[in-house]
Amino acid sequence: MPELPDVAGFKQYLDDTAMHKTIGSSHVADKRILNGISTQKLARTLKDGTLDATRRHGKHLFARLRDRDWLVMHFGMTGGLTYFQNDAPAHAKVVLDFTGGDHLAYTCRRMLGHVGITEDVDAYIERHELGPDALEGDFDAQRLIELLSGRRGIVKSMLMNQSLIAGIGNVYADEILFQTGLDPRTCCDQLDTKQIKTLFRTMRRVLRVAANKGGNVDRLPKNYLIPRRSTDQPCPTCGGEIKKIKTSGRTSYFCPKCQKQGG
DNA sequence: CGACAAGCCTGGTAGC
DNA sequence: TGCTACCAGGCTTGTC
């Protein structure tokens, strides 16, 4: 579930809790979560490091150890962060013990996230072939038009393709399409320039609003589709029935009345 | 108990 | 024929 807005929330949470704290030791509860690094190497790299900066790119969160490497975190579908004093949260996979006595846990109920170390965030992004962050930096409507051109698959798969755009997952792809009024089965070649520009503006607005709420679904505006996923509630716009279908092997929620193919 | 959810990777294939 | 983009399936495990 953690998509760009959720990871933006994790970043804020880390900034508010663990920033400028020094790591005395660390523990790995399940080494399957580690990506390209051994438990021992991770522990050596983290020891005596002080967290002094964070960066987010798409669904990845990076935390810098002063004058050293970056801790890399990806949250899969059930990952998160918990800052605690005494009792470790359930499913804590990696725990940082700060010298002041507090702790930060990377939690993950399933094994679909990962934790690692990188010397260079930009090189990491390039190596993992991540596209531009959906919310930040050098990304505009023209770029989206270029990304869509010549593609024959559905727009939703394109929005979720991390090598094209980093940060959007199944849930926010549905929300963006809902607010753009596009059927999730719409193919890229069905959209004209004007519609792609609208899609771009909607994408930015949805992600910005949700990121400002730290990905907290309960704080999203009333007219959002997300809180109505799998709850049998009507479309917030027309009151009609929300349909659930499979697209590219993924569950898509949409309103057949408000969302049309080709707009 | 089986189906399902999600992100992401892989393997097979549709389409140019 | 060969390449690439695309889709379906698998991994994982708690929940229904």
Side-chain angles (χ1 to χ4, degrees):
Chain A
M1 182 93 119
E3 304 183 26
L4 187 156
D6 310 274
V7 180
F10 298 157
K11 179 182 187 301
Q12 188 65 53
Y13 182 79
L14 197 158
D15 288 345
D16 290 345
T17 57
M19 191 51 61
H20 308 305
K21 303 238 158 90
T22 300
I23 300 164
S25 58
S26 62
H27 302 278
V28 176
D30 193 327
K31 64 185 179 191
R32 284 179 298 172
I33 212 74
L34 299 184
N35 195 21
I37 191 168
S38 68
T39 304
Q40 295 77 11
K41 179 84 193 298
L42 182 74
R44 276 202 305 274
T45 306
L46 292 175
K47 185 163 172 50
D48 301 328
T50 301
L51 300 174
D52 75 337
T54 54
R55 249 185 91 176
R56 183 193 59 71
H57 187 92
K59 302 174 189 175
H60 282 86
L61 180 61
F62 304 88
R64 189 173 66 187
L65 303 157
R66 186 164 58 221
D67 301 327
R68 296 196 224 166
D69 303 323
W70 294 76
L71 178 64
V72 183
M73 288 167 280
H74 184 278
F75 299 93
M77 45 189 275
T78 56
L81 294 176
T82 304
Y83 191 81
F84 67 99
Q85 265 100 41
N86 300 314
D87 299 319
H91 311 293
K93 295 290 189 286
V94 179
V95 177
L96 310 182
D97 307 317
F98 297 112
T99 51
D102 294 349
H103 315 265
L104 181 71
Y106 166 94
T107 63
C108 202
R109 250 181 340 171
R110 298 168 211 176
M111 286 298 153
L112 301 178
H114 52 254
V115 171
I117 292 287
T118 189
E119 294 174 9
D120 183 330
V121 170
D122 292 319
Y124 181 94
I125 290 166
E126 195 170 326
R127 196 163 56 245
H128 287 79
E129 297 181 341
L130 298 174
D133 184 82
L135 199 51
E136 306 285 334
D138 184 27
F139 189 28
D140 56 18
Q142 191 54 43
R143 183 93 180 251
L144 186 61
I145 290 166
E146 288 161 17
L147 288 174
L148 280 160
S149 74
R151 295 192 174 269
R152 56 180 198 277
I154 61 176
V155 181
K156 183 173 174 184
S157 297
M158 195 277 308
L159 288 173
M160 290 170 62
N161 185 334
Q162 302 302 301
S163 67
L164 299 179
I165 306 171
I168 301 170
N170 196 39
V171 171
Y172 280 94
D174 275 357
E175 186 68 52
I176 291 162
L177 291 173
F178 172 71
Q179 294 198 29
T180 311
L182 283 173
D183 186 300
R185 292 162 294 194
T186 304
C187 291
C188 295
D189 56 13
Q190 290 176 263
L191 299 183
D192 60 29
T193 299
K194 188 160 173 274
Q195 289 171 316
I196 298 173
K197 285 181 176 172
T198 304
L199 177 64
F200 177 81
R201 280 196 304 272
T202 308
M203 174 189 86
R204 300 285 268 198
R205 192 188 67 242
V206 166
L207 294 176
R208 190 181 60 245
V209 167
N212 285 340
K213 308 286 185 194
N216 187 337
V217 168
D218 298 328
R219 294 174 62 207
L220 292 176
K222 294 260 186 294
N223 63 339
Y224 272 49
L225 177 69
I226 286 173
R228 294 161 186 259
R229 291 176 81 86
S230 62
T231 54
D232 269 342
Q233 287 185 75
C235 168
T237 305
C238 75
E241 189 189 354
I242 298 296
K243 288 273 185 198
K244 178 181 166 183
I245 59 171
K246 285 273 182 188
T247 56
S248 305
R250 288 284 163 264
T251 311
S252 293
Y253 289 89
F254 76 113
C255 173
K257 271 177 152 175
C258 298
Q259 296 173 252
K260 301 293 180 192
Q261 290 197 45

